[in-house]
Structures are given as structure tokens and as C-alpha cells.
């Protein structure tokens, strides 16, 4: 028999929860993961149906407020210009992502030391480098090493995806301007890989991929995690992390599929419910020892919310055709304006990411380009633009501000009656200047490429994919929520492994960094248990020696997959 | 469309004024758009607009119908935006429209299972950018 202190409970089966669960289970831990959503059959996607664009635009939306599945929780987004988007289910928001897979740069972890803003992370790029590599292999990354704009990295598991006609044109324009660019690292297979088919360039990766070319945590990590012995409970909606009289976590209370309240005891609790869900659960978990919410003596849980405020410039290359082919968001990145420069009127920087042409309905309704006119000009304008547009997103680094935050809505609840998160967020002046500069840069690049109908958008609304910073990492318990190992300062058996722990946001898609941190955290938990076991023999049974289980050893330093 | 009543004729005039046919594309009334609009809850705005259009709208010339709709677009922008969204969504879900797009542009619909053939990534396009100096800041120093 075992006791509860052997059990590790993870809340959330998305990118970070899956990675952490697999790592811990492979090292012999007994792990249970609670997920409020369900499995989604990856081979049953709307993109095999004629009306798939109806689903994309109106039904199977990125926003839980529009999608409104029973397992979704609503978000009060009235007081933020950037609308939060996410997915609740096994695989989390990787179910509906574009699979851009860039790594942060070393400077992203040292903004205070280098640029005098925000705070440095207590870890750096090189602490995560080995975990980035492990993660790239498991997720299945296509790309190319050798980018002079980033630290040298290992050969990519697969070669890059094709640039397509728009990518080639813009790459040539960047070259003529002398701006640095590189082909994107993407979690999409450019050839068959570990049972997944090669990408056939259909385009709308966010709608799912019946060929399994586009990675998501349900098809990459979860089969490995389940094989390693993880118990995954779907339809399990966590509403409290319970604690004992000393304030240590004792388990998680949740509603099961039938709506019955249940409790699972645990010796270690790991939160992996994204920057909104984790902060929400911590704020829900008030107790005598944690009166302001779990592990919130700093008052920072829910605060310092960061997104990636994004502008867009879209244009038409009249002599180009068929730029609708290929993964919609995965071609190249321009990081020429990524680092702080004295001539800029803002601190830190931005990336520009190439996006291909839109599908027919989306083009007509207006997305990258303005809505098509009605009347006699409709079809000629459609033919002028369709397959001939190319767009650049201007994705900026959002510096942390305590006023940007998530708290519990006093009225809005999910279908179980649990208070929903309320977002309060403003785009900073620094970010506005950065976006303005980026829009100018992207416009210049399109002019260089010979584009027409250049259309700019200052701030895209439904871009709150990246929910970061709401339980930040740091060495000072008064100024952070978790330490460098993602262990809560106020609760030594509570860990957080999602984007909540980010100290700064960088200007890059965060999932590879989130997963690298989750893997590293798992190794820190493993190391701590080993040290504890060596120092004082225990009668507990849950932590089994690797040699007893036959599991592959998982070294903490010089980490391996 | 199978319904030829006054409301159906008004709807046909409305959607054909918004999306008239061309040599490449069917007019909206030649598709299932009208049926879809009559069925879907998103089409409430269309039904509301139809109630506001005068009885003579169905028999008016394209020029006159266009003028009337332009006026409504100015006076009721939110309603008109919802109408456009519903009509475009219905039209671009119709198989005959999607087939027309495929004929004129090479677009593959639905995206799966066929996808597209694309030439593999050609590394020679990196020849210039490979020569750039390293531009990341090494924080180990």
C-alpha cells in the first residue's frame, strides 16, 4: 500500500502538464493528471468538410466565450483589448495552435541586467538548452540550425517546411533591406516522423491535423505519458488545492463528469492550467494559512499578466499565386528588430512572422485584409486578393505591470458554478511605440517586395493565446510566487509549470520555453526526492528506484529524453 | 431556391445585390445561401433587414437596390455588418462557390485530405543571410 504523500497530482493536461507528467512517470513517480476537458479525436477534423470555415469562424473558435463547450470556462474580457483564447482538453491549447516553435533568446532572461527593465529570471537560456532539445525531439520539430541570430543549436529533427511563394518574396526583400531573417522552427513534420505523416501543406493547422503532422500534446507527450503509467482523469474540473494546518498542499478537490465533488490526495501538487487557469485556481484556494489565495503572500498571484500584443500588416503581391498552400503561420521569422537599440523610442523589441493567404470565407469576411466589398466589385476584388496576400505579424515584448491582472469575477461562473477569471489589461506606451515601429518596418518590407493594397492593423483582438506571468518566478519571496525550480515560496510541495511563472514574456511564441521549464521542473522534483531519500531512508513506497521499474534513468544535469 | 413567395423574392434580390453573379461565380440566389440563411440563427439580422425593406424592393433595378442598401448601410451599420457576415458565410459554404474558386484559383476544398504539393525548402535562399554577423547577446560573459 502507498500513502497520499507518494502521489503527484497535476492539474491540466496541456503542453506543460503533459511534458511534466511524462517526465515524472518515466522516472518512476505515480502521477495523476486532472483535465476538465476531454480527448478530441485528432483524425476527425472539420478540415475534411466543406463547411470547415463556418466552424473556424463561428463555432469551433479559439475563444471559450464563442466556442462555449460545456468543459470551457467563460472569461470576463470586457476590460481588455486583447481577448484571451485557449482550449480546454487533453493537449490544451496546442489543440488549436499554429505550432510556431521558436526558442527564447538569451537576452530574454536578462532584461534588467541588459536593458534596465523588468527583472532578470533566476534561470537562463543555457539552463533550458538541453530541455529545449529533448522537447524538440518529442514534439517533432522541423527547421534548420545555423541561424546567426540565435545561439547555435542541435540539428533539427526534420528539415524546414517550404517557404512558398510569399515566403520567398519576403525573404528576398529582407535580404535587400539588409534585415536578418531565418526559416522558422515549427512543430510540424516535414517528413514522416515517429508514426506521424508528413505535412501535406493544407493550411489551417489550427483546426487540427488528421495526418498528425502538426504536433499537439495529446499526440506527442500523452501516449508516452500513459505508457509510463500516468493516470489521466478527463472531465475533472479542479476547484481547490487543499492544504493542511501548516499550509502544505494535501490534494486537489474537483468536480467529476457527473458533477460530484471529489478529492484526490497528493504529496505534491503541480499546476499546469495556463496563466489564467492556474491563477484562478490559486485565488480560489483560500485558507487560514493562505488567506489571499494559495501561495499568495506576495500578492502577485494573477498580477503581471503579459500577452504578446500583436499588430499586422497585410499586402497583395499581384503577380503571386497560390500563397494559400502551406502551414498558415509557419514560414520565416524576422528578428532584425528584436534587441534593444539606442535609436528606438522603446525598450526591448519585436519579431515579424510571415503568415500566408487566408481561406475564402475568412478573406471575404475580412481578417488580414479589409472585408471584401459587396456588390459588383466583390468577385473582382476576391480574385485580386485570394492567394495573393501575404502578411507580417508584429509580435511585441510585453513588459510586466502589476495593474495588468486576472482576478475572480464576482458574478460570472462556469457551468459548475466556479467563479470565472476576469481580465484587466492595458497595452503600455512602450508596447504601442514598438507596434508602431513594427508596422512601419513591415510596411517598408512590403514596399520593397513590390506589394500593393498594404493594410495595417495596430492591435489584433483575438490574440490572447499567450497567458504569461501571473505567478512569476524569482528568488525574492516578496516579489515572486515560485522559486527557480518553480516551487511555490509559500508552499513547498506546490509547483507551477505553465506560462504563469514567466518573469518576462520575450516577443516569441512561448510553448517551447513553457515545456522546457516543465521538463526541468520535473527533473528538479526527481532530484529533490533522490536527495531526500539519500539523506533519510523512508518507508514510503511511491517513489520507486529506477532499477526496480526498469525505467530509463533520467539524469538531472545533462538531461536526456 | 424553391420558395417563390414575396419574402423569398425579396431575399433573392437582397443577396444578389450583395453578391451578383459573374462569368466565374454564381449569383448568391443560385446557391444554397438563401436556404442556409432561412435556417440558421445567424441569419436573424437578414430577416430583420428584410422586414425593413419596402415591398417594391424585390422588383427594383440593381442600381436602385444598391442605392437602398447603401443607405441602410450608412444608417444601420451594425445591422448591415451582421447581414454581410451572414450572407458571406452562407455563400462561401456553398459547394458550387467552392468549386468556382477551385476552377479559377487552384484552391483545394476542403483542405484535407488532398492538401498541396510544394517544392521542398531550398537552402540556397539562405546564402545571403547566413553571412550576417551573430546578432544575439551572449549573457554568459
Amino acid at each position: 500500500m502507498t500513502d497520499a504523500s507518494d502521489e503527484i497530482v497535476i492539474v491540466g493536461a496541456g503542453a506543460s502538464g503533459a511534458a511534466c507528467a511524462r517526465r515524472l512517470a518515466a522516472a518512476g513517480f505515480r502521477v495523476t493528471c486532472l483535465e476538465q476537458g476531454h480527448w478530441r479525436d485528432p483524425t476527425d477534423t472539420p478540415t475534411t468538410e466543406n463547411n470547415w470555415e463556418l466552424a473556424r469562424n463561428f463555432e469551433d473558435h479559439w475563444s471559450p466565450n464563442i466556442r462555449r463547450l460545456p468543459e470551457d470556462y467563460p472569461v470576463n474580457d470586457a476590460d481588455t483589448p486583447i481577448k484571451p483564447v485557449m482550449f480546454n482538453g487533453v493537449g490544451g491549447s496546442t489543440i488549436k495552435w499554429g505550432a510556431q516553435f521558436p526558442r527564447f533568446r538569451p537576452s530574454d532572461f536578462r532584461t534588467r541586467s541588459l536593458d534596465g527593465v523588468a527583472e532578470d529570471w533566476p534561470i537562463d537560456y543555457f539552463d533550458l538548452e538541453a530541455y529545449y532539445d529533448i522537447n524538440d525531439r518529442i514534439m517533432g520539430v522541423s527547421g534548420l540550425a545555423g541561424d546567426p541570430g540565435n545561439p547555435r543549436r542541435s540539428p533539427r529533427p526534420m528539415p524546414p517546411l517550404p517557404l512558398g511563394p510569399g515566403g520567398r518574396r519576403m525573404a528576398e526583400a529582407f535580404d535587400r533591406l539588409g534585415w536578418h531573417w531565418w526559416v522558422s522552427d515549427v512543430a510540424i513534420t516535414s517528413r514522416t516522423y515517429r508514426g506521424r505523416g508528413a505535412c501535406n501543406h493544407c493550411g489551417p493547422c489550427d483546426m487540427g491535423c488528421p495526418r498528425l503532422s502538426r504536433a499537439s500534446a495529446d499526440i506527442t507527450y500523452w501516449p508516452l505519458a500513459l505508457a509510463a503509467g500516468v493516470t489521466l482523469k478527463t472531465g475533472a474540473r479542479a476547484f481547490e488545492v487543499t492544504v493542511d494546518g501548516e499550509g502544505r498542499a494535501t490534494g486537489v478537490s474537483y468536480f467529476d463528469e457527473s458533477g460530484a465533488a471529489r478529492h484526490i490526495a497528493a504529496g505534491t501538487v503541480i499546476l499546469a492550467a495556463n496563466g489564467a487557469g492556474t491563477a484562478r485556481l490559486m485565488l480560489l484556494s483560500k485558507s487560514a494559512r493562505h488567506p489571499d489565495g494559495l501561495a499568495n503572500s506576495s500578492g502577485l498571484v494573477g498580477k503581471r499578466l503579459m500577452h504578446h500584443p500583436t499588430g499586422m500588416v497585410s499586402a497583395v503581391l499581384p503577380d503571386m499565386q497560390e500563397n494559400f498552400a502551406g502551414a498558415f503561420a509557419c514560414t520565416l521569422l524576422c528578428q532584425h528588430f528584436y534587441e534593444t537599440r539606442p535609436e528606438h523610442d522603446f525598450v526591448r523589441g519585436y519579431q515579424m512572422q510571415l503568415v500566408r493567404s487566408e481561406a475564402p470565407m475568412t478573406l471575404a469576411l475580412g481578417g488580414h485584409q479589409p472585408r471584401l466589398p459587396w456588390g459588383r466589385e466583390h468577385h473582382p476584388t476576391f480574385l485580386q486578393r485570394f492567394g495573393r496576400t501575404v502578411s507580417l505579424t508584429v509580435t511585441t515584448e510585453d513588459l510586466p505591470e502589476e495593474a495588468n491582472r486576472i482576478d475572480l469575477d464576482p458574478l460570472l461562473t462556469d457551468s459548475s458554478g466556479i467563479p470565472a477569471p476576469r481580465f484587466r489589461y492595458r497595452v503600455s506606451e512602450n508596447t504601442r511605440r514598438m507596434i508602431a515601429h513594427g508596422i512601419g518596418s513591415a510596411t517598408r518590407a512590403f514596399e520593397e517586395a513590390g506589394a500593393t493594397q498594404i493594410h495595417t492593423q495596430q492591435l489584433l483582438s483575438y490574440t490572447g493565446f499567450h497567458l504569461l506571468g501571473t505567478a512569476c518566478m524569482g528568488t525574492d519571496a516578496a516579489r515572486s510566487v515560485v522559486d527557480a525550480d518553480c516551487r511555490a515560496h509559500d508552499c513547498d510541495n506546490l509547483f507551477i509549470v505553465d506560462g504563469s511563472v514567466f518573469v518576462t514574456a520575450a516577443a516569441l511564441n512561448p510553448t517551447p520555453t513553457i515545456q522546457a521549464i516543465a521538463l526541468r521542473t520535473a527533473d528538479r522534483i526527481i532530484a529533490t526526492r533522490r536527495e531526500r531519500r539519500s539523506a533519510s531512508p523512508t518507508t514510503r513506497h511511491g517513489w520507486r528506484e529506477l532499477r526496480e521499474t526498469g525505467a530509463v534513468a533520467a539524469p538531472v544535469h545533462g538531461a536526456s529524453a | 431556391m424553391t420558395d417563390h413567395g414575396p419574402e423569398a423574392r425579396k431575399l433573392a434580390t437582397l443577396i444578389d445585390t450583395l453578391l451578383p453573379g459573374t462569368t466565374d461565380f454564381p449569383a448568391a440566389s443560385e446557391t444554397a445561401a438563401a436556404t442556409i440563411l432561412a435556417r440558421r440563427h445567424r441569419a436573424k439580422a437578414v430577416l430583420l433587414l428584410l422586414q425593413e425593406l419596402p415591398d417594391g424592393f424585390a422588383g427594383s433595378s440593381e442600381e436602385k437596390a444598391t442605392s437602398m442598401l447603401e443607405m441602410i448601410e450608412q444608417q444601420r451599420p451594425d445591422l448591415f455588418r451582421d447581414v454581410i457576415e451572414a450572407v458571406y458565410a452562407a455563400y462561401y459554404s456553398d459547394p458550387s462557390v467552392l468549386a468556382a474558386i477551385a476552377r479559377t484559383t487552384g484552391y483545394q476544398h476542403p483542405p484535407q485530405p488532398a492538401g498541396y504539393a510544394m517544392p521542398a525548402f531550398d537552402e540556397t535562399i539562405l546564402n545571403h543571410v547566413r553571412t550576417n554577423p551573430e546578432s544575439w547577446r551572449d549573457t554568459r560573459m
Side-chain angles (χ1 to χ4, degrees):
Chain A
M1 99 172 255
T2 59
D3 69 40
S5 62
D6 299 319
E7 190 81 37
I8 293 178
V9 171
I10 298 176
V11 179
S16 62
C20 195
R22 187 264 175 172
R23 190 86 175 160
L24 289 167
F29 284 86
R30 198 171 59 246
V31 179
T32 298
C33 183
L34 304 178
E35 169 53 53
Q36 67 186 315
H38 302 91
W39 288 93
R40 178 173 273 205
D41 180 354
T43 64
D44 182 19
T45 66
T47 50
T48 58
E49 309 280 345
N50 266 337
N51 61 359
W52 72 274
E53 276 200 278
L54 278 178
R56 190 191 213 185
N57 283 290
F58 302 106
E59 294 153 6
D60 195 19
H61 200 269
W62 299 331
S63 167
N65 289 355
I66 297 172
R67 191 172 58 236
R68 298 170 68 93
L69 293 175
E71 60 265 39
D72 285 322
Y73 57 87
V75 292
N76 182 339
D77 60 8
D79 198 17
T80 171
I82 297 176
K83 305 303 178 190
V85 295
M86 64 184 80
F87 188 80
N88 296 303
V90 179
S93 296
T94 63
I95 297 295
K96 296 197 71 63
W97 69 333
Q100 271 282 359
F101 221 64
R103 296 181 183 188
F104 281 12
R105 284 183 164 196
S107 71
D108 292 323
F109 299 87
R110 293 290 179 269
T111 61
R112 168 60 63 180
S113 301
L114 294 174
D115 299 322
V117 292
E119 285 89 33
D120 290 349
W121 294 51
I123 58 174
D124 68 16
Y125 173 88
F126 301 98
D127 291 320
L128 295 179
E129 193 169 33
Y131 296 101
Y132 277 128
D133 279 345
I134 293 168
N135 196 50
D136 285 349
R137 289 193 293 273
I138 294 175
M139 293 293 281
V141 168
S142 299
L144 192 68
D147 175 10
N150 280 278
R152 290 182 186 177
R153 65 186 60 169
S154 58
R156 311 288 68 212
M158 287 166 281
L161 293 179
L163 286 183
R168 287 194 298 273
R169 287 282 291 273
M170 295 313 296
E172 290 161 2
F174 289 143
D175 280 351
R176 289 195 295 275
L177 290 167
W179 294 357
H180 185 72
W181 67 275
W182 198 256
V183 60
S184 301
D185 268 9
V186 301
I188 299 173
T189 57
S190 59
R191 54 174 165 73
T192 54
Y193 185 78
R194 298 187 178 182
R196 295 160 53 194
C199 174
N200 69 349
H201 316 298
C202 83
C205 308
D206 55 308
M207 296 304 290
C209 181
R211 300 168 64 83
L212 313 185
S213 310
R214 188 218 59 180
S216 47
D218 58 327
I219 64 167
T220 55
Y221 272 103
W222 271 110
L224 302 174
L226 295 175
V230 177
T231 299
L232 173 60
K233 292 180 185 289
T234 59
R237 178 173 265 171
F239 61 87
E240 183 180 4
V241 178
T242 54
V243 296
D244 62 18
E246 296 176 349
R248 299 188 80 238
T250 56
V252 178
S253 295
Y254 65 98
F255 291 116
D256 70 12
E257 197 80 73
S258 71
R262 298 192 176 279
H263 182 263
I264 181 168
T268 301
V269 173
I270 299 174
L271 302 182
N274 84 36
T278 286
R280 177 195 187 206
L281 183 56
M282 294 174 78
L283 293 172
L284 285 166
S285 302
K286 291 181 180 176
S287 63
R289 294 299 296 262
H290 301 283
D292 298 317
L294 184 60
N296 193 22
S297 66
S298 67
L300 289 174
V301 171
K303 295 180 180 173
R304 296 167 53 97
L305 170 68
M306 295 173 284
H307 293 298
H308 286 127
T310 298
M312 176 176 268
V313 181
S314 179
V316 174
L317 294 169
D319 55 343
M320 179 177 70
Q321 293 181 348
E322 300 192 7
N323 198 42
F324 42 69
F328 77 96
C330 296
T331 49
L332 60 83
L333 297 179
C334 175
Q335 295 185 325
H336 190 73
F337 302 99
Y338 196 84
E339 302 286 349
T340 297
R341 293 185 183 190
E343 66 269 29
H344 289 167
D345 62 353
F346 54 85
V347 187
R348 302 295 296 160
Y350 59 88
Q351 65 153 337
M352 292 186 283
Q353 179 179 322
L354 201 79
V355 184
R356 303 183 208 259
S357 295
E358 295 168 292
M361 182 191 298
T362 312
L363 177 77
L365 292 171
H368 304 170
Q369 288 274 316
R371 191 185 75 198
L372 293 184
W374 57 271
R376 284 286 161 196
E377 288 305 307
H378 181 87
H379 291 302
T381 309
F382 179 90
L383 291 172
Q384 281 173 17
R385 294 183 194 168
F386 186 67
R388 303 175 196 276
T389 63
V390 62
S391 304
L392 285 166
T393 57
V394 175
T395 303
T396 58
E397 176 161 354
D398 194 13
L399 294 171
E401 296 180 20
E402 289 189 26
N404 288 335
R405 64 192 188 275
I406 294 167
D407 61 10
L408 299 178
D409 194 275
L411 300 174
L412 188 67
T413 66
D414 64 18
S415 59
S416 303
I418 305 170
R422 174 174 60 180
F423 285 70
R424 296 181 181 190
Y425 178 87
R426 295 286 179 276
V427 177
S428 72
E429 184 58 30
N430 188 65
T431 299
R432 290 189 187 283
R433 291 177 183 172
M434 212 183 297
I435 291 176
H437 192 279
I439 284 177
S441 302
T443 301
R444 191 171 167 212
F446 282 124
E447 289 168 350
E448 178 64 32
T452 63
Q453 301 184 51
I454 298 173
H455 175 66
T456 67
Q457 297 181 71
Q458 293 293 322
L459 185 67
L460 302 182
S461 178
Y462 283 100
T463 50
F465 312 99
H466 305 152
L467 303 159
L468 308 170
T470 51
C472 70
M473 183 190 291
T475 54
D476 180 355
R479 296 294 310 145
S480 58
V481 178
V482 298
D483 66 14
D485 292 342
C486 295
R487 181 195 301 267
H489 292 302
D490 302 342
C491 183
D492 70 357
N493 62 342
L494 175 74
F495 294 81
I496 301 173
V497 295
D498 55 41
S500 308
V501 303
F502 279 32
V503 181
T504 54
L508 291 158
N509 311 58
T511 302
T513 303
I514 290 172
Q515 290 183 301
I517 289 171
L519 293 172
R520 180 179 182 274
T521 301
D523 274 4
R524 300 308 302 157
I525 292 170
I526 295 166
T528 302
R529 286 292 187 100
R530 280 182 178 155
E531 288 159 10
R532 190 179 301 165
R533 183 181 173 83
S534 306
S536 148
T538 174
T539 57
R540 294 170 182 164
H541 303 277
W543 165 236
R544 292 162 291 167
E545 291 285 356
L546 295 175
R547 63 177 174 272
E548 292 173 5
T549 64
V552 176
V556 174
H557 301 291
S560 63
Chain B
M1 290 176 66
T2 54
D3 186 347
H4 299 286
E7 283 302 300
R9 287 198 295 276
K10 200 191 274 186
L11 176 59
T13 302
L14 169 64
I15 63 178
D16 281 353
T17 307
L18 296 176
L19 295 172
T22 70
T23 52
D24 292 319
F25 290 92
S29 67
E30 296 166 4
T31 71
T35 308
I36 292 168
L37 289 168
R39 203 173 58 221
R40 301 187 80 93
H41 70 276
R42 252 196 317 281
K44 280 180 183 169
V46 177
L47 302 179
L48 196 60
L49 178 60
L50 288 174
Q51 290 170 8
E52 296 193 9
L53 290 170
D55 290 341
F57 180 76
S60 58
S61 66
E62 181 178 337
E63 186 180 10
K64 187 168 183 187
T66 298
S67 173
M68 292 168 77
L69 292 179
E70 284 173 346
M71 190 180 301
I72 292 172
E73 185 175 26
Q74 284 185 356
Q75 293 171 346
R76 304 282 304 277
D78 291 346
L79 172 67
F80 202 82
R81 182 201 59 223
D82 291 348
V83 168
I84 290 288
E85 185 176 279
V87 172
Y88 284 12
Y91 183 77
Y92 283 99
S93 302
D94 189 84
S96 67
V97 176
L98 299 170
I101 294 169
R103 277 195 308 274
T104 52
T105 68
Y107 183 67
Q108 180 74 43
H109 204 96
Q112 290 288 0
Y116 301 94
M118 293 182 79
F121 181 80
D122 178 0
E123 285 194 32
T124 60
I125 198 164
L126 293 165
N127 286 349
H128 177 85
V129 74
R130 275 185 198 280
T131 64
N132 285 349
E134 287 198 339
S135 56
W136 59 281
R137 291 187 279 179
D138 192 340
T139 54
R140 293 170 297 188
M141 291 183 279

